[in-house]
Structure formats: structure tokens, C-alpha cells
Amino acid sequence: MLVMWCTRTALGRLQRIAPCTVTGFNRAMSTLPKVYVTRKVPQDGLDILRKSGQVQFEMWDSDDPVPRVELLKKVKGCEGILCVLTEKIDTQLLNAAGPNLKVVSTMSVGFDHLSLDELKKRGIRVGYTPDVLTDSVAELTVALLLATSRRLIEATHEAKTGGWGTWRTLWLCDHELANSTVGILGLGRIGVAIAERLKPFKVKKFIYTDVAPRPELANMIEAEYVSLDELAKQSDFLAICCALTPETYGICDWNLFSKMKKNAIFINTSRGGVVNQEDLYEALSTGLIAGAGLDVTNPEPLPTHHPLFTLKNCVILPHIASASYTTRNSMSALAANNLLAGLRGEPMPKELKL
Ligand SMILES: O=CC(=O)O
């Protein structure tokens, strides 16, 4: 495992120093704020941190998560942490970091891995990465919706494994988007972007629910505000776009599924925790709803023996909604810029209001 302290030399060259030699820093360098980067993040963000000359940072230089014990050790004394969504930033971690910690910058739009109350109490500022991933997430959501509703995964499997006997009149049929009602649970930037992409498929009507009507966004896609019950009852396609909060935890449960249409397709690209997966399994396996496409599950990864994997009408992706090179680099750059601005005591490009 390669873990490095990085800073600039007096000549401005990048310098990488193994952790054991950190004490070899001269006094000027060692006074730069210490930052821990919990994962190998895409290059654009690293370049920003390196070129800033503003921080000395250590990074867990791997695609896999840093072990918790290691993380707790590494954050000690840091003024900033740049993390990804797999790291729980909770009381234990904040205690381990200690009183120097000023900024937590997450390379994600979701923030359910952060103990916001605790961060607020300690006056620690939080950066996150909305907007830059909207296009990528919306695009993937549409792809998942079509793959699920038009049964693409099942169809390619049949074609590859000899199930393709002849052209049959109703084989692998499902429902189309044309003339359908699309429901959005949690209307934000991503919900709007999904609707904009679905509109050319001749969707008849968009409806949404949220904690309150959001007319400024809804007007962009001519969406009607309805109750959660109505959303369930009317939607042919239901896209879940809400943040995971204590209020939304398990909100997609039997109560919701039992009100949905038999032909309904359920799509979740937000967080797995909003879905009661046992109830979803029941709904899918008993034909209560037609299909589900999930980019997110609880837990992640979903164990390969999980019952949802046995269902033909459930398409499961490994949390890839924002996975385009452009988007991941933009997220990394925004996370780095949030961190640096926060450490300078300036407004962050995208700061979470606590
Ligand atoms: O799920 C991805 C994110 O929160 O950015």
C-alpha cells in the first residue's frame, strides 16, 4: 500500500515523502495544514491539492477503502479530510481527528455517511459535490429505467444461452414510456434532469412528491405535485431521487409498493437505505409490481447470495450512476476546491448548510 505525504519543495517541485519521514519536513513545510485524503481520487482533484501549495496531504493510495483503524490513526491532527461515501465521518472519527479539524470535504452529492449534527456542533464545515454529477446520474437513471422496463439484461441472457427459439408475439414484452406517467420521489436537480431526458420518449405526465412543493423546479418539467400515496398509485415508472435522511429511511416499503400499479417499474439511483429490500423482494416476486432497477442497495456491495439477485425482474448495478471519467474528475476537483476554500476560511464553491 502506497501512502504518501505530498507537498511542494521550496522550488515548487512536487515532493512525495513516505509517512515515516514526515518528521524530516523543514519547519516551513510542516506548518502547512495537514489533510488526509481517504481514497485515491481522480487526478484533477489531486493536481489541485498539489499545485495549491496550501496543504500537506496524505492519501490512501488505493481503490479500496482505507481500513477503519488506519483511518482513525491517519486523521489525527488533520485540519482537513477529503473523503468518499464509504467513510463514516462520525463521533468516533471526529474525536480521533481532534480539535484541529476544520473542514470535511466529501467527493459525493450524498451526505448520509456524515454525522451532520456532530459536525455542526464542532463548527466543522462541510463541502460536497452537487451539480457536477447531475448529467451523469440522470443519464444512468434513464439507461437503468430502459434496461429494466425493456428487459434488456434478461433478453441478452436469453440470446446468449439458447433461449432465443424463434420470434414470438409476446415474448419478453413489457411496457413502454410513451403515454406513461413518470413519478419522481424527491424533486431536485437530478429529478429534473431525468425528466428532461425522458420527455422526448413521449411521457404523458410527470408527477412528484417532496416534503413540500418545489414550483421553481417543477415548472421546468411541468410536473404536478402529488401526495406520496398518489405518486405510488399513478406512476407507471417511479424514480427515487431523494436524499437518505432519517425521514426517508425505508420510505419505499410494502405500504408504498402495495399501492403501485402491477405494471409499474421502480428505479432507485439515490441510496439503498430508502428502500425496504425485503418488501421490495416480496413485491417483485409476487408480481405486485413489474420490475425494479437499483443502482444502490443496502448494504453495498449487496451480497451475491441476496434474494434480489435471483429475480429476473430486478436489475442491480454496483452504484455507478456518476461513473463517467468527466464527472468523477469534476467531483474530485470540486471536492479539492471545497477543501482548500474551507481551510482558507472562504466560502466553498459547494458548501452544505448545516
Ligand atoms: O452516490 C453518489 C454520490 O453521492 O455522489
Side-chain angles (χ1 to χ4, degrees), residues 38 68 81-91 93-94 104-116 119 126-129 244-245 271 319 352:
T38 69
R68 182 77 180 175
I81 297 174
L82 196 161
C83 67
V84 296
L85 52 83
T86 48
E87 270 71 69
K88 289 249 164 299
I89 307 295
D90 55 10
T91 306
L93 184 130
L94 297 175
V104 170
S105 173
T106 181
M107 192 189 125
S108 62
V109 67
F111 42 80
D112 47 288
H113 54 302
L114 311 177
S115 297
L116 299 183
L119 285 156
V126 175
Y128 71 139
T129 61
L244 175 61
T245 64
R271 283 291 183 271
H319 202 149
L352 198 61

PDB file of all heavy atoms in Angstrom, residues 38 68 81-91 93-94 104-116 119 126-129 244-245 271 319 352:
ATOM      1  N   THR A  38      -8.901  10.131   1.889  1.00  0.00           N
ATOM      2  CA  THR A  38      -9.171   8.750   2.305  1.00  0.00           C
ATOM      3  C   THR A  38      -9.179   7.740   1.167  1.00  0.00           C
ATOM      4  O   THR A  38      -9.397   6.557   1.406  1.00  0.00           O
ATOM      5  CB  THR A  38     -10.523   8.652   3.032  1.00  0.00           C
ATOM      6  OG1 THR A  38     -11.573   8.889   2.074  1.00  0.00           O
ATOM      7  CG2 THR A  38     -10.638   9.632   4.176  1.00  0.00           C
ATOM      8  N   ARG A  68     -10.622   0.992   8.776  1.00  0.00           N
ATOM      9  CA  ARG A  68     -11.079   1.970   9.767  1.00  0.00           C
ATOM     10  C   ARG A  68      -9.981   2.309  10.784  1.00  0.00           C
ATOM     11  O   ARG A  68      -9.778   3.463  11.148  1.00  0.00           O
ATOM     12  CB  ARG A  68     -12.320   1.393  10.474  1.00  0.00           C
ATOM     13  CG  ARG A  68     -12.945   2.294  11.509  1.00  0.00           C
ATOM     14  CD  ARG A  68     -13.751   3.389  10.876  1.00  0.00           C
ATOM     15  NE  ARG A  68     -14.359   4.246  11.884  1.00  0.00           N
ATOM     16  CZ  ARG A  68     -15.041   5.336  11.619  1.00  0.00           C
ATOM     17  NH1 ARG A  68     -15.229   5.730  10.377  1.00  0.00           N
ATOM     18  NH2 ARG A  68     -15.570   6.055  12.571  1.00  0.00           N
ATOM     19  N   ILE A  81     -10.189  16.847   5.902  1.00  0.00           N
ATOM     20  CA  ILE A  81     -10.336  15.468   5.439  1.00  0.00           C
ATOM     21  C   ILE A  81     -11.074  15.524   4.118  1.00  0.00           C
ATOM     22  O   ILE A  81     -12.119  16.193   4.009  1.00  0.00           O
ATOM     23  CB  ILE A  81     -11.143  14.611   6.448  1.00  0.00           C
ATOM     24  CG1 ILE A  81     -10.402  14.512   7.780  1.00  0.00           C
ATOM     25  CG2 ILE A  81     -11.423  13.223   5.887  1.00  0.00           C
ATOM     26  CD1 ILE A  81     -11.200  13.802   8.874  1.00  0.00           C
ATOM     27  N   LEU A  82     -10.523  14.856   3.105  1.00  0.00           N
ATOM     28  CA  LEU A  82     -11.249  14.698   1.852  1.00  0.00           C
ATOM     29  C   LEU A  82     -11.645  13.231   1.783  1.00  0.00           C
ATOM     30  O   LEU A  82     -10.779  12.354   1.752  1.00  0.00           O
ATOM     31  CB  LEU A  82     -10.368  15.109   0.668  1.00  0.00           C
ATOM     32  CG  LEU A  82     -11.098  15.356  -0.661  1.00  0.00           C
ATOM     33  CD1 LEU A  82     -10.228  16.184  -1.608  1.00  0.00           C
ATOM     34  CD2 LEU A  82     -11.530  14.087  -1.349  1.00  0.00           C
ATOM     35  N   CYS A  83     -12.951  12.965   1.800  1.00  0.00           N
ATOM     36  CA  CYS A  83     -13.388  11.576   1.896  1.00  0.00           C
ATOM     37  C   CYS A  83     -14.316  11.223   0.743  1.00  0.00           C
ATOM     38  O   CYS A  83     -14.724  12.084  -0.035  1.00  0.00           O
ATOM     39  CB  CYS A  83     -14.085  11.334   3.230  1.00  0.00           C
ATOM     40  SG  CYS A  83     -15.645  12.218   3.404  1.00  0.00           S
ATOM     41  N   VAL A  84     -14.639   9.938   0.661  1.00  0.00           N
ATOM     42  CA  VAL A  84     -15.654   9.477  -0.275  1.00  0.00           C
ATOM     43  C   VAL A  84     -16.787   8.864   0.543  1.00  0.00           C
ATOM     44  O   VAL A  84     -16.738   8.849   1.783  1.00  0.00           O
ATOM     45  CB  VAL A  84     -15.071   8.475  -1.306  1.00  0.00           C
ATOM     46  CG1 VAL A  84     -14.031   9.145  -2.172  1.00  0.00           C
ATOM     47  CG2 VAL A  84     -14.485   7.247  -0.620  1.00  0.00           C
ATOM     48  N   LEU A  85     -17.825   8.364  -0.148  1.00  0.00           N
ATOM     49  CA  LEU A  85     -19.049   7.997   0.579  1.00  0.00           C
ATOM     50  C   LEU A  85     -18.947   6.737   1.421  1.00  0.00           C
ATOM     51  O   LEU A  85     -19.865   6.437   2.190  1.00  0.00           O
ATOM     52  CB  LEU A  85     -20.223   7.900  -0.403  1.00  0.00           C
ATOM     53  CG  LEU A  85     -20.047   7.028  -1.653  1.00  0.00           C
ATOM     54  CD1 LEU A  85     -20.302   5.583  -1.375  1.00  0.00           C
ATOM     55  CD2 LEU A  85     -20.970   7.540  -2.756  1.00  0.00           C
ATOM     56  N   THR A  86     -17.852   5.990   1.302  1.00  0.00           N
ATOM     57  CA  THR A  86     -17.746   4.776   2.116  1.00  0.00           C
ATOM     58  C   THR A  86     -17.191   5.057   3.520  1.00  0.00           C
ATOM     59  O   THR A  86     -17.213   4.182   4.374  1.00  0.00           O
ATOM     60  CB  THR A  86     -16.814   3.745   1.430  1.00  0.00           C
ATOM     61  OG1 THR A  86     -15.633   4.430   1.030  1.00  0.00           O
ATOM     62  CG2 THR A  86     -17.486   3.127   0.224  1.00  0.00           C
ATOM     63  N   GLU A  87     -16.699   6.260   3.739  1.00  0.00           N
ATOM     64  CA  GLU A  87     -16.124   6.559   5.058  1.00  0.00           C
ATOM     65  C   GLU A  87     -17.147   7.201   5.983  1.00  0.00           C
ATOM     66  O   GLU A  87     -17.685   8.263   5.650  1.00  0.00           O
ATOM     67  CB  GLU A  87     -14.925   7.511   4.918  1.00  0.00           C
ATOM     68  CG  GLU A  87     -13.637   6.780   4.749  1.00  0.00           C
ATOM     69  CD  GLU A  87     -13.516   6.115   3.394  1.00  0.00           C
ATOM     70  OE1 GLU A  87     -13.399   6.828   2.398  1.00  0.00           O
ATOM     71  OE2 GLU A  87     -13.570   4.870   3.361  1.00  0.00           O
ATOM     72  N   LYS A  88     -17.407   6.556   7.091  1.00  0.00           N
ATOM     73  CA  LYS A  88     -18.326   7.143   8.078  1.00  0.00           C
ATOM     74  C   LYS A  88     -17.581   8.239   8.842  1.00  0.00           C
ATOM     75  O   LYS A  88     -16.593   7.976   9.516  1.00  0.00           O
ATOM     76  CB  LYS A  88     -18.781   6.092   9.092  1.00  0.00           C
ATOM     77  CG  LYS A  88     -19.726   5.068   8.544  1.00  0.00           C
ATOM     78  CD  LYS A  88     -21.124   5.226   9.143  1.00  0.00           C
ATOM     79  CE  LYS A  88     -22.199   4.488   8.355  1.00  0.00           C
ATOM     80  NZ  LYS A  88     -22.372   4.919   6.957  1.00  0.00           N
ATOM     81  N   ILE A  89     -18.089   9.461   8.718  1.00  0.00           N
ATOM     82  CA  ILE A  89     -17.472  10.558   9.463  1.00  0.00           C
ATOM     83  C   ILE A  89     -18.389  10.805  10.660  1.00  0.00           C
ATOM     84  O   ILE A  89     -19.375  11.540  10.581  1.00  0.00           O
ATOM     85  CB  ILE A  89     -17.332  11.817   8.574  1.00  0.00           C
ATOM     86  CG1 ILE A  89     -16.602  11.481   7.254  1.00  0.00           C
ATOM     87  CG2 ILE A  89     -16.633  12.935   9.340  1.00  0.00           C
ATOM     88  CD1 ILE A  89     -15.161  11.054   7.374  1.00  0.00           C
ATOM     89  N   ASP A  90     -18.090  10.109  11.733  1.00  0.00           N
ATOM     90  CA  ASP A  90     -18.964  10.114  12.904  1.00  0.00           C
ATOM     91  C   ASP A  90     -18.195  10.595  14.142  1.00  0.00           C
ATOM     92  O   ASP A  90     -17.041  11.029  14.043  1.00  0.00           O
ATOM     93  CB  ASP A  90     -19.538   8.699  13.126  1.00  0.00           C
ATOM     94  CG  ASP A  90     -18.425   7.649  13.225  1.00  0.00           C
ATOM     95  OD1 ASP A  90     -17.238   8.044  13.306  1.00  0.00           O
ATOM     96  OD2 ASP A  90     -18.732   6.458  13.226  1.00  0.00           O
ATOM     97  N   THR A  91     -18.830  10.483  15.289  1.00  0.00           N
ATOM     98  CA  THR A  91     -18.222  10.978  16.519  1.00  0.00           C
ATOM     99  C   THR A  91     -16.857  10.342  16.765  1.00  0.00           C
ATOM    100  O   THR A  91     -15.893  11.029  17.120  1.00  0.00           O
ATOM    101  CB  THR A  91     -19.157  10.678  17.720  1.00  0.00           C
ATOM    102  OG1 THR A  91     -20.426  11.226  17.394  1.00  0.00           O
ATOM    103  CG2 THR A  91     -18.651  11.283  19.002  1.00  0.00           C
ATOM    104  N   LEU A  93     -14.729   9.153  14.663  1.00  0.00           N
ATOM    105  CA  LEU A  93     -13.697   9.677  13.764  1.00  0.00           C
ATOM    106  C   LEU A  93     -13.345  11.119  14.106  1.00  0.00           C
ATOM    107  O   LEU A  93     -12.179  11.508  14.087  1.00  0.00           O
ATOM    108  CB  LEU A  93     -14.165   9.578  12.307  1.00  0.00           C
ATOM    109  CG  LEU A  93     -13.083  10.035  11.340  1.00  0.00           C
ATOM    110  CD1 LEU A  93     -12.871   9.012  10.239  1.00  0.00           C
ATOM    111  CD2 LEU A  93     -13.363  11.400  10.760  1.00  0.00           C
ATOM    112  N   LEU A  94     -14.364  11.895  14.452  1.00  0.00           N
ATOM    113  CA  LEU A  94     -14.094  13.304  14.771  1.00  0.00           C
ATOM    114  C   LEU A  94     -13.267  13.415  16.051  1.00  0.00           C
ATOM    115  O   LEU A  94     -12.377  14.262  16.153  1.00  0.00           O
ATOM    116  CB  LEU A  94     -15.406  14.078  14.871  1.00  0.00           C
ATOM    117  CG  LEU A  94     -16.206  14.133  13.558  1.00  0.00           C
ATOM    118  CD1 LEU A  94     -17.551  14.823  13.764  1.00  0.00           C
ATOM    119  CD2 LEU A  94     -15.424  14.830  12.451  1.00  0.00           C
ATOM    120  N   VAL A 104     -14.463  19.096   6.382  1.00  0.00           N
ATOM    121  CA  VAL A 104     -14.639  17.769   5.786  1.00  0.00           C
ATOM    122  C   VAL A 104     -15.207  17.995   4.390  1.00  0.00           C
ATOM    123  O   VAL A 104     -16.229  18.677   4.240  1.00  0.00           O
ATOM    124  CB  VAL A 104     -15.590  16.884   6.618  1.00  0.00           C
ATOM    125  CG1 VAL A 104     -15.941  15.609   5.859  1.00  0.00           C
ATOM    126  CG2 VAL A 104     -14.959  16.540   7.968  1.00  0.00           C
ATOM    127  N   SER A 105     -14.533  17.465   3.400  1.00  0.00           N
ATOM    128  CA  SER A 105     -14.994  17.638   2.026  1.00  0.00           C
ATOM    129  C   SER A 105     -15.253  16.252   1.459  1.00  0.00           C
ATOM    130  O   SER A 105     -14.339  15.432   1.359  1.00  0.00           O
ATOM    131  CB  SER A 105     -13.904  18.349   1.223  1.00  0.00           C
ATOM    132  OG  SER A 105     -14.266  18.387  -0.132  1.00  0.00           O
ATOM    133  N   THR A 106     -16.513  15.992   1.101  1.00  0.00           N
ATOM    134  CA  THR A 106     -16.819  14.664   0.572  1.00  0.00           C
ATOM    135  C   THR A 106     -16.976  14.718  -0.937  1.00  0.00           C
ATOM    136  O   THR A 106     -17.608  15.635  -1.470  1.00  0.00           O
ATOM    137  CB  THR A 106     -18.073  14.063   1.246  1.00  0.00           C
ATOM    138  OG1 THR A 106     -18.298  12.754   0.687  1.00  0.00           O
ATOM    139  CG2 THR A 106     -19.322  14.902   1.048  1.00  0.00           C
ATOM    140  N   MET A 107     -16.370  13.735  -1.589  1.00  0.00           N
ATOM    141  CA  MET A 107     -16.482  13.648  -3.044  1.00  0.00           C
ATOM    142  C   MET A 107     -17.762  12.876  -3.373  1.00  0.00           C
ATOM    143  O   MET A 107     -17.746  11.765  -3.869  1.00  0.00           O
ATOM    144  CB  MET A 107     -15.245  12.926  -3.606  1.00  0.00           C
ATOM    145  CG  MET A 107     -15.115  13.036  -5.105  1.00  0.00           C
ATOM    146  SD  MET A 107     -13.809  11.976  -5.757  1.00  0.00           S
ATOM    147  CE  MET A 107     -14.708  11.024  -6.963  1.00  0.00           C
ATOM    148  N   SER A 108     -18.883  13.482  -3.037  1.00  0.00           N
ATOM    149  CA  SER A 108     -20.190  12.859  -3.285  1.00  0.00           C
ATOM    150  C   SER A 108     -21.254  13.929  -3.133  1.00  0.00           C
ATOM    151  O   SER A 108     -21.041  14.938  -2.451  1.00  0.00           O
ATOM    152  CB  SER A 108     -20.455  11.736  -2.274  1.00  0.00           C
ATOM    153  OG  SER A 108     -20.499  12.258  -0.952  1.00  0.00           O
ATOM    154  N   VAL A 109     -22.385  13.676  -3.781  1.00  0.00           N
ATOM    155  CA  VAL A 109     -23.527  14.569  -3.540  1.00  0.00           C
ATOM    156  C   VAL A 109     -24.277  14.106  -2.297  1.00  0.00           C
ATOM    157  O   VAL A 109     -24.852  14.910  -1.568  1.00  0.00           O
ATOM    158  CB  VAL A 109     -24.454  14.650  -4.787  1.00  0.00           C
ATOM    159  CG1 VAL A 109     -25.158  13.328  -5.056  1.00  0.00           C
ATOM    160  CG2 VAL A 109     -25.488  15.756  -4.628  1.00  0.00           C
ATOM    161  N   GLY A 110     -24.254  12.797  -2.038  1.00  0.00           N
ATOM    162  CA  GLY A 110     -24.915  12.246  -0.851  1.00  0.00           C
ATOM    163  C   GLY A 110     -24.078  12.533   0.390  1.00  0.00           C
ATOM    164  O   GLY A 110     -22.851  12.613   0.324  1.00  0.00           O
ATOM    165  N   PHE A 111     -24.775  12.718   1.517  1.00  0.00           N
ATOM    166  CA  PHE A 111     -24.022  13.032   2.738  1.00  0.00           C
ATOM    167  C   PHE A 111     -24.523  12.225   3.942  1.00  0.00           C
ATOM    168  O   PHE A 111     -24.338  12.602   5.083  1.00  0.00           O
ATOM    169  CB  PHE A 111     -24.056  14.537   3.032  1.00  0.00           C
ATOM    170  CG  PHE A 111     -25.408  15.175   2.815  1.00  0.00           C
ATOM    171  CD1 PHE A 111     -26.402  15.072   3.751  1.00  0.00           C
ATOM    172  CD2 PHE A 111     -25.670  15.857   1.634  1.00  0.00           C
ATOM    173  CE1 PHE A 111     -27.648  15.641   3.541  1.00  0.00           C
ATOM    174  CE2 PHE A 111     -26.919  16.433   1.412  1.00  0.00           C
ATOM    175  CZ  PHE A 111     -27.912  16.324   2.373  1.00  0.00           C
ATOM    176  N   ASP A 112     -25.161  11.087   3.654  1.00  0.00           N
ATOM    177  CA  ASP A 112     -25.683  10.253   4.738  1.00  0.00           C
ATOM    178  C   ASP A 112     -24.566   9.544   5.502  1.00  0.00           C
ATOM    179  O   ASP A 112     -24.818   8.953   6.548  1.00  0.00           O
ATOM    180  CB  ASP A 112     -26.688   9.235   4.189  1.00  0.00           C
ATOM    181  CG  ASP A 112     -26.159   8.532   2.956  1.00  0.00           C
ATOM    182  OD1 ASP A 112     -26.077   9.177   1.895  1.00  0.00           O
ATOM    183  OD2 ASP A 112     -25.784   7.350   3.074  1.00  0.00           O
ATOM    184  N   HIS A 113     -23.340   9.592   4.987  1.00  0.00           N
ATOM    185  CA  HIS A 113     -22.211   8.984   5.720  1.00  0.00           C
ATOM    186  C   HIS A 113     -21.592   9.987   6.697  1.00  0.00           C
ATOM    187  O   HIS A 113     -20.624   9.670   7.376  1.00  0.00           O
ATOM    188  CB  HIS A 113     -21.145   8.479   4.737  1.00  0.00           C
ATOM    189  CG  HIS A 113     -20.665   9.520   3.774  1.00  0.00           C
ATOM    190  ND1 HIS A 113     -21.505  10.193   2.903  1.00  0.00           N
ATOM    191  CD2 HIS A 113     -19.431  10.038   3.543  1.00  0.00           C
ATOM    192  CE1 HIS A 113     -20.817  11.054   2.180  1.00  0.00           C
ATOM    193  NE2 HIS A 113     -19.557  10.992   2.558  1.00  0.00           N
ATOM    194  N   LEU A 114     -22.120  11.193   6.743  1.00  0.00           N
ATOM    195  CA  LEU A 114     -21.576  12.228   7.634  1.00  0.00           C
ATOM    196  C   LEU A 114     -22.538  12.475   8.793  1.00  0.00           C
ATOM    197  O   LEU A 114     -23.742  12.655   8.559  1.00  0.00           O
ATOM    198  CB  LEU A 114     -21.396  13.548   6.872  1.00  0.00           C
ATOM    199  CG  LEU A 114     -20.676  13.513   5.519  1.00  0.00           C
ATOM    200  CD1 LEU A 114     -20.661  14.901   4.891  1.00  0.00           C
ATOM    201  CD2 LEU A 114     -19.264  12.975   5.667  1.00  0.00           C
ATOM    202  N   SER A 115     -22.029  12.516  10.008  1.00  0.00           N
ATOM    203  CA  SER A 115     -22.882  12.872  11.158  1.00  0.00           C
ATOM    204  C   SER A 115     -22.989  14.385  11.206  1.00  0.00           C
ATOM    205  O   SER A 115     -22.156  15.059  11.829  1.00  0.00           O
ATOM    206  CB  SER A 115     -22.283  12.356  12.467  1.00  0.00           C
ATOM    207  OG  SER A 115     -22.224  10.977  12.433  1.00  0.00           O
ATOM    208  N   LEU A 116     -24.012  14.900  10.557  1.00  0.00           N
ATOM    209  CA  LEU A 116     -24.109  16.353  10.382  1.00  0.00           C
ATOM    210  C   LEU A 116     -24.261  17.089  11.714  1.00  0.00           C
ATOM    211  O   LEU A 116     -23.677  18.156  11.908  1.00  0.00           O
ATOM    212  CB  LEU A 116     -25.270  16.694   9.438  1.00  0.00           C
ATOM    213  CG  LEU A 116     -25.152  16.125   8.017  1.00  0.00           C
ATOM    214  CD1 LEU A 116     -26.320  16.586   7.155  1.00  0.00           C
ATOM    215  CD2 LEU A 116     -23.830  16.494   7.358  1.00  0.00           C
ATOM    216  N   LEU A 119     -20.908  17.356  13.311  1.00  0.00           N
ATOM    217  CA  LEU A 119     -20.039  18.293  12.586  1.00  0.00           C
ATOM    218  C   LEU A 119     -20.430  19.729  12.912  1.00  0.00           C
ATOM    219  O   LEU A 119     -19.586  20.589  13.164  1.00  0.00           O
ATOM    220  CB  LEU A 119     -20.147  18.037  11.078  1.00  0.00           C
ATOM    221  CG  LEU A 119     -19.412  16.770  10.608  1.00  0.00           C
ATOM    222  CD1 LEU A 119     -20.002  16.239   9.317  1.00  0.00           C
ATOM    223  CD2 LEU A 119     -17.925  17.054  10.416  1.00  0.00           C
ATOM    224  N   VAL A 126     -18.534  21.687   5.916  1.00  0.00           N
ATOM    225  CA  VAL A 126     -18.674  20.502   5.062  1.00  0.00           C
ATOM    226  C   VAL A 126     -18.854  20.913   3.602  1.00  0.00           C
ATOM    227  O   VAL A 126     -19.732  21.721   3.284  1.00  0.00           O
ATOM    228  CB  VAL A 126     -19.888  19.646   5.513  1.00  0.00           C
ATOM    229  CG1 VAL A 126     -20.118  18.480   4.560  1.00  0.00           C
ATOM    230  CG2 VAL A 126     -19.690  19.141   6.938  1.00  0.00           C
ATOM    231  N   GLY A 127     -18.036  20.342   2.747  1.00  0.00           N
ATOM    232  CA  GLY A 127     -18.197  20.537   1.308  1.00  0.00           C
ATOM    233  C   GLY A 127     -18.711  19.256   0.676  1.00  0.00           C
ATOM    234  O   GLY A 127     -18.423  18.156   1.158  1.00  0.00           O
ATOM    235  N   TYR A 128     -19.464  19.379  -0.406  1.00  0.00           N
ATOM    236  CA  TYR A 128     -19.957  18.197  -1.130  1.00  0.00           C
ATOM    237  C   TYR A 128     -19.985  18.525  -2.628  1.00  0.00           C
ATOM    238  O   TYR A 128     -19.581  19.626  -3.019  1.00  0.00           O
ATOM    239  CB  TYR A 128     -21.289  17.722  -0.571  1.00  0.00           C
ATOM    240  CG  TYR A 128     -22.503  18.591  -0.843  1.00  0.00           C
ATOM    241  CD1 TYR A 128     -23.718  18.026  -1.184  1.00  0.00           C
ATOM    242  CD2 TYR A 128     -22.445  19.982  -0.760  1.00  0.00           C
ATOM    243  CE1 TYR A 128     -24.844  18.808  -1.433  1.00  0.00           C
ATOM    244  CE2 TYR A 128     -23.566  20.769  -1.001  1.00  0.00           C
ATOM    245  CZ  TYR A 128     -24.751  20.175  -1.348  1.00  0.00           C
ATOM    246  OH  TYR A 128     -25.844  20.949  -1.602  1.00  0.00           O
ATOM    247  N   THR A 129     -20.461  17.585  -3.454  1.00  0.00           N
ATOM    248  CA  THR A 129     -20.276  17.786  -4.900  1.00  0.00           C
ATOM    249  C   THR A 129     -21.579  17.670  -5.709  1.00  0.00           C
ATOM    250  O   THR A 129     -21.694  16.804  -6.581  1.00  0.00           O
ATOM    251  CB  THR A 129     -19.225  16.788  -5.451  1.00  0.00           C
ATOM    252  OG1 THR A 129     -19.700  15.451  -5.238  1.00  0.00           O
ATOM    253  CG2 THR A 129     -17.883  16.967  -4.782  1.00  0.00           C
ATOM    254  N   LEU A 244     -30.967  10.298   1.428  1.00  0.00           N
ATOM    255  CA  LEU A 244     -31.247   9.410   2.564  1.00  0.00           C
ATOM    256  C   LEU A 244     -31.111  10.209   3.852  1.00  0.00           C
ATOM    257  O   LEU A 244     -30.040  10.727   4.172  1.00  0.00           O
ATOM    258  CB  LEU A 244     -30.280   8.227   2.567  1.00  0.00           C
ATOM    259  CG  LEU A 244     -30.390   7.281   3.764  1.00  0.00           C
ATOM    260  CD1 LEU A 244     -31.773   6.647   3.846  1.00  0.00           C
ATOM    261  CD2 LEU A 244     -29.319   6.195   3.699  1.00  0.00           C
ATOM    262  N   THR A 245     -32.218  10.334   4.562  1.00  0.00           N
ATOM    263  CA  THR A 245     -32.249  11.046   5.844  1.00  0.00           C
ATOM    264  C   THR A 245     -33.060  10.166   6.808  1.00  0.00           C
ATOM    265  O   THR A 245     -33.677   9.191   6.368  1.00  0.00           O
ATOM    266  CB  THR A 245     -32.975  12.403   5.690  1.00  0.00           C
ATOM    267  OG1 THR A 245     -34.342  12.135   5.340  1.00  0.00           O
ATOM    268  CG2 THR A 245     -32.334  13.295   4.631  1.00  0.00           C
ATOM    269  N   ARG A 271     -30.126   6.233  -2.675  1.00  0.00           N
ATOM    270  CA  ARG A 271     -29.410   5.446  -1.679  1.00  0.00           C
ATOM    271  C   ARG A 271     -30.237   4.199  -1.349  1.00  0.00           C
ATOM    272  O   ARG A 271     -31.474   4.263  -1.288  1.00  0.00           O
ATOM    273  CB  ARG A 271     -29.216   6.247  -0.386  1.00  0.00           C
ATOM    274  CG  ARG A 271     -28.114   7.282  -0.447  1.00  0.00           C
ATOM    275  CD  ARG A 271     -26.721   6.657  -0.526  1.00  0.00           C
ATOM    276  NE  ARG A 271     -25.657   7.646  -0.521  1.00  0.00           N
ATOM    277  CZ  ARG A 271     -25.139   8.225  -1.605  1.00  0.00           C
ATOM    278  NH1 ARG A 271     -25.589   7.896  -2.804  1.00  0.00           N
ATOM    279  NH2 ARG A 271     -24.162   9.109  -1.511  1.00  0.00           N
ATOM    280  N   HIS A 319     -23.657   0.680  -8.020  1.00  0.00           N
ATOM    281  CA  HIS A 319     -23.524   2.103  -7.644  1.00  0.00           C
ATOM    282  C   HIS A 319     -22.595   2.844  -8.625  1.00  0.00           C
ATOM    283  O   HIS A 319     -21.522   3.323  -8.228  1.00  0.00           O
ATOM    284  CB  HIS A 319     -23.012   2.228  -6.201  1.00  0.00           C
ATOM    285  CG  HIS A 319     -23.337   3.557  -5.582  1.00  0.00           C
ATOM    286  ND1 HIS A 319     -23.573   3.728  -4.244  1.00  0.00           N
ATOM    287  CD2 HIS A 319     -23.457   4.804  -6.120  1.00  0.00           C
ATOM    288  CE1 HIS A 319     -23.823   4.994  -3.988  1.00  0.00           C
ATOM    289  NE2 HIS A 319     -23.759   5.681  -5.126  1.00  0.00           N
ATOM    290  N   LEU A 352     -22.251  22.546   2.234  1.00  0.00           N
ATOM    291  CA  LEU A 352     -23.506  22.056   2.788  1.00  0.00           C
ATOM    292  C   LEU A 352     -23.914  22.960   3.942  1.00  0.00           C
ATOM    293  O   LEU A 352     -23.112  23.203   4.848  1.00  0.00           O
ATOM    294  CB  LEU A 352     -23.293  20.622   3.266  1.00  0.00           C
ATOM    295  CG  LEU A 352     -24.518  19.754   3.493  1.00  0.00           C
ATOM    296  CD1 LEU A 352     -25.320  19.584   2.214  1.00  0.00           C
ATOM    297  CD2 LEU A 352     -24.068  18.389   4.004  1.00  0.00           C
TER     298      LEU A 352
END
